[in-house]
Amino acid sequence: MQVKGSSCLDAQLSDICISTSAAPTYLPAHYFKTQDNKGNVREYNLIDGGVAANNPTLVAISEVTKQVIENNPDFFPIKPMDYARYLVISIGTGAAKIEQKYNGKMAAKWGVLGWLIHGGSTPLVDVFTQSSGDMVDFHNSVVFQALHSEENYLRIQEDTLTGTEASVDVATKANLEKLVKIGENLLKKPVSRVNLETGLHKPVENAGTNEDALKRFARLLCNERRLRELRSPLTSKALTNKAQASSLNVVHHIVIP
């Protein structure tokens, strides 16, 4: 959306993919630059955005809300807090199974190294990434439920990964095939929602599977696209021209035996 207002933001897809994959300690930071039609150059020095927004759902919602506030005709006449008109699909990249590996007594004895490396894992990184992602999910669940629009927010996440499945940098063929299988199985699992008392995900009664929910969202999005196309001046003009052409064809067939 922001690219329309600044062509310097129109970066190549390859640069975007490399940047969003540049997780610290795993892959190097990425530098590139863009240039607009006036010759203005903008430099980028980027790392994985997960450092700031491990679950970017709120970022996406904020971008849509900004467009509503700025009276983007595509969103008229939606109000900024009209969550009944928001459709949010949040798909996680998988998380390690919660094993309660740490406790207060253990952490109280850790120094800098203990927080960075303990038992083959990185407690500090685990705390930051998992907590920030979970807080976004919890916040969205609270807001959508409070506004009676909980069916418009779908969170799909596999949080029982173990071993190499939960690793960020094991790209062997065997592990990738295993992850594909995990994703396929995840589609068959029931839709779940955060329990606001415990903070844990619980299956939603009579909500079907994740696959069912995605199909429902797809139908809603297709219907919304058709409505927007009908409201668009360009589409209306195209439909008028098509109707005129169709009328001419009908006349043609009537006149000529």
Side-chain angles (χ1 to χ4, degrees):
M1 294 180 180
Q2 295 182 12
V3 173
K4 295 179 180 179
S6 175
S7 57
C8 275
L9 295 175
D10 191 13
Q12 293 185 11
L13 183 59
S14 57
D15 286 320
I16 294 172
C17 291
I18 294 172
S19 300
T20 195
S21 303
T25 74
Y26 290 99
L27 293 169
H30 185 53
Y31 167 84
F32 66 94
K33 56 186 178 181
T34 59
Q35 184 173 336
D36 63 16
N37 51 15
K38 295 181 180 179
N40 298 315
V41 176
R42 179 166 178 173
E43 295 184 334
Y44 292 86
N45 299 275
L46 302 177
I47 59 174
D48 180 10
V51 174
N54 195 41
N55 181 342
T57 311
L58 270 182
V59 177
I61 293 175
S62 298
E63 285 298 320
V64 173
T65 304
K66 282 167 57 179
Q67 296 300 313
V68 174
I69 293 173
E70 293 171 4
N71 296 317
N72 185 322
D74 286 338
F75 298 92
F76 180 82
I78 303 173
K79 296 180 180 179
M81 290 299 291
D82 187 5
Y83 273 49
R85 296 286 296 152
Y86 282 66
L87 292 177
V88 179
I89 303 174
S90 174
I91 301 179
T93 57
K97 182 179 180 180
I98 299 176
E99 299 175 322
Q100 296 183 338
K101 295 181 290 186
Y102 320 123
N103 58 48
K105 291 182 179 180
M106 293 168 57
K109 300 176 183 178
W110 291 344
V112 174
L113 288 178
W115 277 101
L116 292 176
I117 302 174
H118 180 82
S121 58
T122 52
L124 189 61
V125 174
D126 291 343
V127 169
F128 276 114
T129 56
Q130 292 182 17
S131 60
S132 64
D134 289 345
M135 284 302 296
V136 170
D137 183 29
F138 188 84
H139 169 82
N140 287 332
S141 296
V142 169
V143 172
F144 276 85
Q145 290 184 47
L147 298 175
H148 308 291
S149 302
E150 57 267 27
E151 291 188 356
N152 288 15
Y153 173 62
L154 175 64
R155 172 67 172 172
I156 299 178
Q157 170 74 309
E158 178 58 72
D159 56 4
T160 61
L161 301 180
T162 58
T164 58
E165 300 167 0
S167 177
V168 178
D169 57 349
V170 179
T172 62
K173 182 179 179 181
N175 196 50
L176 293 177
E177 289 176 346
K178 189 185 298 183
L179 292 174
V180 170
K181 189 65 176 178
I182 291 171
E184 292 173 346
N185 292 336
L186 184 57
L187 285 173
K188 305 301 179 183
K189 289 187 176 182
V191 171
S192 62
R193 190 174 297 141
V194 169
N195 182 307
L196 301 184
E197 295 295 326
T198 65
L200 300 176
H201 270 253
K202 296 292 182 182
V204 180
E205 189 175 354
N206 299 323
T209 65
N210 289 321
E211 184 176 15
D212 296 331
L214 287 172
K215 288 179 179 178
R216 180 177 67 84
F217 269 65
R219 286 193 294 269
L220 291 171
L221 290 170
C222 286
N223 292 336
E224 178 65 22
R225 179 178 176 81
R226 292 192 188 100
L227 289 173
R228 291 191 186 189
E229 288 178 342
L230 289 173
R231 289 201 305 262
S232 170
L234 295 176
T235 304
S236 298
K237 183 177 180 180
L239 288 174
T240 301
N241 292 337
K242 185 176 181 180
Q244 291 175 345
S246 298
S247 298
L248 290 174
N249 286 335
V250 170
V251 172
H252 174 78
H253 286 298
I254 291 174
V255 173
I256 300 177

